[in-house]
Amino acid sequence: MAEKQFTVIDEAGIHARPASVLVSTANKFQSDIFLIHKGRDVNLKSILGVMSLGIGSGEEFAIRAEGTDAEDALVELEKTLQNEGLAK
Amino acid sequence: MSLLQGIAASSGIAIAKAYRLVEPDLSFTKQTIEDVAAETARFEAAMATSISELEAIQKVAERELGAEEAAIFTAHILVLNDPELINPIKDKINTEKVNAEHALQETTDMFISMFEAMENEYMQERAADIRDVTKRILSHLLGVKIVNPSTISEEVIIIAEDLTPSDTAQLNRNFVKGFATDIGGRTSHSAIMARSLEIPAVVGTQEATRQIQDGDILIVDGLTGKLHINPTEELIAEYEAEQQKFEAQKAEWAKLVNEKTMTVDGEHVELAANIGTPEDLVGVMNNGGEGIGLYRTEFLYMGRDQLPTEDEQFEAYKKVLEGMEGKPVVVRTLDIGGDKELPYLQLPEEMNPFLGFRAIRLCLEEQEIFRTQLRALLRASIFGNLKIMFPMIATLDEFRQAKAMLAEEKEALVSAGEKVSEDIEVGIMVEIPSTAIQAELFAKEVDFFSIGTNDLIQYTMAADRMNERVSYLYQPYNPAILRLVKMVIDASHREGKWTGMCGEMAGDELAIPLLLGMGLDEFSMSATSILQARSQIRGLKKSDMAALAEEALQMGTAEEVVQAVKEKLSFITQ
């Protein structure tokens, strides 16, 4: 299992376009991947799930991956978050 | 074969297959199913088709609109692949033994209400995306076609009840050869768009969407308003010949695109275009417009749910001014009310909207709306040759008030350090008889007049132009109208000012000789009429037309005037 904490830096929060990128990245991995925000965790392979959290700018969230490629998934997702200027 | 008669909205002839742009019927009922596996397979097939359809649309959108705009389809595809959406639907089919349509609707409704309940406005709007996706899957489950005009890839004629601005914006101009609608008139939005896109169109057929099936062969005759459905080979051949003649004529006129509009005896008049949006500039340029004689700003205010901001307006005005590269642009301030409503202003309904609270009357009352527009115009003025025109002026006092507000806003902008052009001409529309009669007094205070004939005729003849029973009184050639026009032109010239005309009459083959003879300085019309008008004027002698106009002014009826003009014109062409 791998888990890491992030803070949203995109002014618009996690809106449709970056959510798409995030979900597409998560879909590349075997592991179960979750996004945890204010005590709720949703499937990161679900765009509806991610968007339903309505995470705004400045808010904190965590990503947790469980499975054989969990470590790789987390590294890749962190890279995506940074490249997109979405979170740090 | 059959024939529908509509209103000729945009000239030219189109022959192609029908493409119905009509909202599909996606209604269904909840059903209990026996074969769960078959129902699940049906659902999966609909999903697969939806995904490949979206992938195709995404490719087109990326090519036509760019990656940014296409990104929304990526999100839609992800929604279709979303396990949180698919699994609950399959579960429902399995455990509740309901049809896929019902399972889909219940599941997506849950997401829609969740997004709608969110405080963030952006997230609320995502509910629309889910509705869109749901519609697509439903259409495949039900086996009905969902229309998407942006993916049209063969030559078609669009058939619709009416076309909204966003429909028309999505039309692929390479493939849409013409269109026909059930409702609308010559001045409805779709008709104006058709003329600016130079697509033959017939509007107001009443029956088109009911009588025409996808794939029917159609002939749109934009010259007579006829719409032929599945015509005979002979008729198609006849129309093809007609089409060639029309194209040849157009090619002949096109040679005049960079020519000046000079009469045989060397007098110059200006041929300008009427536009509704900055997008119309393409048509103006292609048709050799020497300016914009009427920029109808109300389109900025229509088809939305709140007033446009000052910046939104500024951008639109700037675009038009820059686009015209220093050529004159006459902008008409907000002309709303009458038959043009803005639902969000919630104006009370009136007994006689054409005689009611509209145009400048509304602007002088709702000052903030008016002043916002004036500020946007003033700020844009440094980007070109701006002229401002107030609509529906009935009294000198109204003009003075409007002009004073303009001066106040200018003063405020200048003292705030904003740049404003020093020489903006300020004029009025002459469309109320009281103003035409007092033209001599107005001419001392305005920089120019523009005669709005549609309204001037209906007010002078006291006949509502929308009322069919009195439509015979809509008489552009009635000597009463000609006399008013002459009074206005003469009054402006005596004060060294100029007079233009915007409205159907300025581009009318039979009216042009008379207007030229009376000394009209600027003719403003649909962009597509300009070259024809230029070709006509280049064959006329102004002094002859002055004599003809003088005769016409002494005649008793419109018929006599028309007769005299026709005789004179046939003499010239002989």
Side-chain angles (χ1 to χ4, degrees):
Chain A
M1 193 191 85
E3 183 167 333
K4 196 169 160 88
Q5 199 77 24
F6 298 94
T7 308
V8 178
I9 51 174
D10 190 316
E11 275 183 18
I14 301 189
H15 53 101
R17 202 184 48 81
S20 304
V21 181
L22 218 49
V23 171
S24 301
T25 310
N27 271 323
K28 288 192 232 160
F29 297 93
Q30 292 294 320
S31 297
D32 292 326
I33 307 174
F34 301 95
L35 197 151
I36 304 132
H37 172 69
K38 290 186 183 164
R40 277 184 64 200
D41 49 344
V42 299
N43 183 352
L44 191 54
K45 294 180 180 177
S46 160
I47 187 161
L48 291 171
V50 173
M51 297 214 18
S52 72
L53 294 175
I55 307 178
S57 187
E59 295 188 349
E60 293 190 340
F61 66 92
I63 292 178
R64 186 174 73 232
E66 294 169 3
T68 48
D69 53 4
E71 297 288 340
D72 293 344
L74 200 61
V75 170
E76 183 81 15
L77 282 165
E78 182 173 5
K79 220 193 292 173
T80 307
L81 285 170
Q82 283 166 351
N83 288 347
E84 288 290 311
L86 190 58
K88 59 173 189 199
Chain B
M1 86 173 246
S2 54
L3 168 68
L4 292 177
Q5 180 67 51
I7 298 161
S10 177
S11 64
I13 287 156
I15 308 171
K17 270 198 263 183
Y19 182 97
R20 286 164 51 85
L21 196 59
V22 181
E23 281 283 312
D25 177 10
L26 295 176
S27 55
F28 64 88
T29 52
K30 180 182 176 182
Q31 279 163 17
T32 314
I33 47 125
E34 299 290 325
D35 191 343
V36 168
E39 194 64 9
T40 307
R42 199 166 76 84
F43 170 66
E44 282 174 343
M47 293 300 269
T49 318
S50 300
I51 290 170
S52 58
E53 198 174 67
L54 272 172
E55 283 170 347
I57 293 174
Q58 185 193 28
K59 279 207 190 81
V60 174
E62 215 160 87
R63 193 178 63 227
E64 302 284 330
L65 310 166
E68 275 294 294
E69 300 285 331
I72 188 65
F73 297 112
T74 315
H76 284 194
I77 293 169
L78 283 173
V79 170
L80 286 168
N81 283 308
D82 194 327
E84 304 293 326
L85 177 76
I86 297 168
N87 295 337
I89 295 172
K90 286 185 180 168
D91 285 351
K92 267 188 208 294
I93 296 174
N94 259 311
T95 56
E96 297 173 27
K97 303 212 180 315
V98 288
N99 52 333
E101 288 89 344
H102 179 76
L104 168 75
Q105 192 80 65
E106 276 211 324
T107 309
T108 53
D109 276 353
M110 195 263 296
F111 280 106
I112 289 169
S113 41
M114 183 175 79
F115 280 106
E116 277 179 342
M118 291 169 95
E119 277 169 30
N120 180 333
E121 194 185 328
Y122 173 82
M123 289 299 172
Q124 287 170 9
E125 284 168 15
R126 300 287 67 78
D129 289 332
I130 303 173
R131 272 201 201 91
D132 207 26
V133 170
T134 308
K135 262 168 70 177
R136 185 172 304 281
I137 308 168
L138 261 183
S139 76
H140 291 301
L141 282 171
L142 296 166
V144 294
K145 196 179 89 169
I146 182 164
V147 288
N148 183 344
S150 59
T151 55
I152 293 172
S153 56
E154 57 175 343
E155 295 195 350
V156 295
I157 287 167
I158 299 280
I159 299 299
E161 203 177 312
D162 195 10
L163 286 169
T164 66
S166 70
D167 287 333
T168 13
Q170 282 186 68
L171 298 180
N172 184 332
R173 296 177 196 191
N174 294 327
F175 297 118
V176 176
K177 292 294 152 192
F179 67 70
T181 63
D182 290 349
I183 57 175
R186 251 196 84 78
T187 52
S188 62
H189 172 81
S190 49
I192 293 168
M193 284 300 281
R195 289 196 289 274
S196 69
L197 294 173
E198 300 188 38
I199 297 175
V202 171
V203 299
T205 62
Q206 293 177 19
E207 289 281 313
T209 57
R210 275 185 293 280
Q211 299 223 0
I212 295 168
Q213 304 301 317
D214 268 316
D216 280 351
I217 299 295
L218 303 177
I219 299 176
V220 172
D221 183 345
L223 301 165
T224 64
K226 287 191 167 67
L227 178 62
H228 297 275
I229 308 167
N230 293 323
T232 59
E233 293 290 328
E234 287 87 352
L235 194 63
I236 291 179
E238 245 173 70
Y239 267 102
E240 277 170 347
E242 191 75 22
Q243 195 175 25
Q244 273 175 14
K245 234 169 69 188
F246 182 79
E247 294 302 325
Q249 177 79 84
K250 256 176 75 173
E252 203 49 46
W253 289 334
K255 292 180 189 157
L256 300 176
V257 82
N258 295 316
E259 297 292 326
K260 281 214 147 192
T261 314
M262 297 286 241
T263 61
V264 174
D265 45 350
E267 297 275 351
H268 174 244
V269 291
E270 187 181 300
L271 294 190
N274 300 339
I275 65 165
T277 68
E279 283 69 47
D280 295 343
L281 286 182
V282 185
V284 179
M285 288 306 181
N286 291 343
N287 289 288
E290 293 165 73
I292 304 290
L294 170 64
Y295 176 10
R296 299 183 170 96
T297 55
E298 51 273 15
F299 286 112
L300 274 167
Y301 295 75
M302 290 158 72
R304 47 189 294 152
D305 44 27
Q306 57 192 10
L307 289 164
T309 64
E310 183 181 320
D311 280 340
E312 276 176 71
Q313 295 191 52
F314 166 76
E315 289 300 333
Y317 304 149
K318 177 175 172 237
K319 214 168 176 180
V320 171
L321 286 162
E322 282 184 335
M324 288 306 291
E325 299 168 347
K327 292 186 184 129
V329 174
V330 179
V331 179
R332 176 172 73 186
T333 58
L334 183 59
D335 182 6
I336 213 73
D339 58 338
K340 288 172 286 192
E341 285 180 63
L342 292 184
Y344 53 85
L345 289 186
Q346 292 176 339
L347 298 170
E349 232 173 82
E350 299 189 332
M351 290 283 283
N352 296 301
F354 278 110
L355 301 178
F357 187 58
R358 53 175 292 205
I360 199 70
R361 302 168 183 186
L362 184 147
C363 284
L364 293 176
E365 190 77 29
E366 304 286 337
Q367 285 198 18
E368 216 21 68
I369 298 177
F370 190 43
R371 287 178 186 270
T372 303
Q373 181 173 37
L374 295 178
R375 279 195 300 273
L377 281 167
L378 288 164
R379 284 171 52 207
S381 65
I382 52 170
F383 296 97
N385 182 358
L386 172 69
K387 301 175 194 301
I388 297 174
M389 166 164 89
F390 303 124
M392 282 286 288
I393 295 283
T395 67
L396 258 176
D397 190 49
E398 284 173 341
F399 174 66
R400 287 175 184 158
Q401 279 184 55
K403 203 175 168 181
M405 282 186 215
L406 180 66
E408 282 163 24
E409 292 308 322
K410 183 176 170 186
E411 174 91 40
L413 282 172
V414 170
S415 53
E418 289 264 7
K419 268 208 226 147
V420 173
S421 164
E422 268 316 303
D423 93 293
I424 305 171
E425 289 189 8
V426 182
I428 60 170
M429 294 264 302
V430 181
E431 46 195 334
I432 299 179
S434 64
T435 303
I437 292 165
Q438 282 189 297
E440 205 179 319
L441 299 170
F442 275 100
K444 295 184 199 307
E445 302 188 26
V446 303
D447 293 320
F448 65 92
F449 291 123
S450 182
I451 304 173
T453 48
N454 296 348
D455 278 333
L456 184 63
I457 296 167
Q458 79 169 346
Y459 294 137
T460 303
M461 308 299 286
D464 182 345
R465 65 178 194 261
M466 303 293 183
N467 182 341
E468 283 173 25
R469 302 187 68 175
V470 295
S471 64
Y472 73 96
L473 286 169
Y474 187 81
Q475 297 183 355
Y477 318 104
N478 188 294
I481 304 298
L482 301 180
R483 283 173 181 234
L484 285 177
V485 170
K486 183 76 162 53
M487 272 173 65
V488 174
I489 297 173
D490 287 349
S492 71
H493 289 176
R494 276 197 295 273
E495 295 294 331
K497 313 290 170 66
W498 60 274
T499 297
M501 177 179 286
C502 46
E504 292 304 320
M505 196 172 164
D508 176 343
E509 245 185 322
L510 290 178
I512 287 173
L514 295 168
L515 297 170
L516 187 68
M518 290 193 274
L520 190 73
D521 303 286
E522 177 229 51
F523 297 65
S524 194
M525 58 194 77
S526 308
T528 48
S529 303
I530 290 175
L531 292 172
Q532 180 176 4
R534 182 169 296 156
S535 154
Q536 185 190 21
I537 291 170
R538 284 164 61 94
L540 300 176
K541 208 166 165 184
K542 188 170 174 183
S543 55
D544 283 354
M545 296 306 116
L548 174 67
E550 211 40 63
E551 272 175 50
L553 287 170
Q554 304 310 320
M555 288 173 178
T557 68
E559 288 76 23
E560 286 171 47
V561 173
V562 171
Q563 196 53 38
V565 175
K566 282 186 174 162
E567 273 169 26
K568 185 82 185 173
L569 291 183
S570 72
F571 178 74
I572 293 168
T573 48
Q574 263 167 22

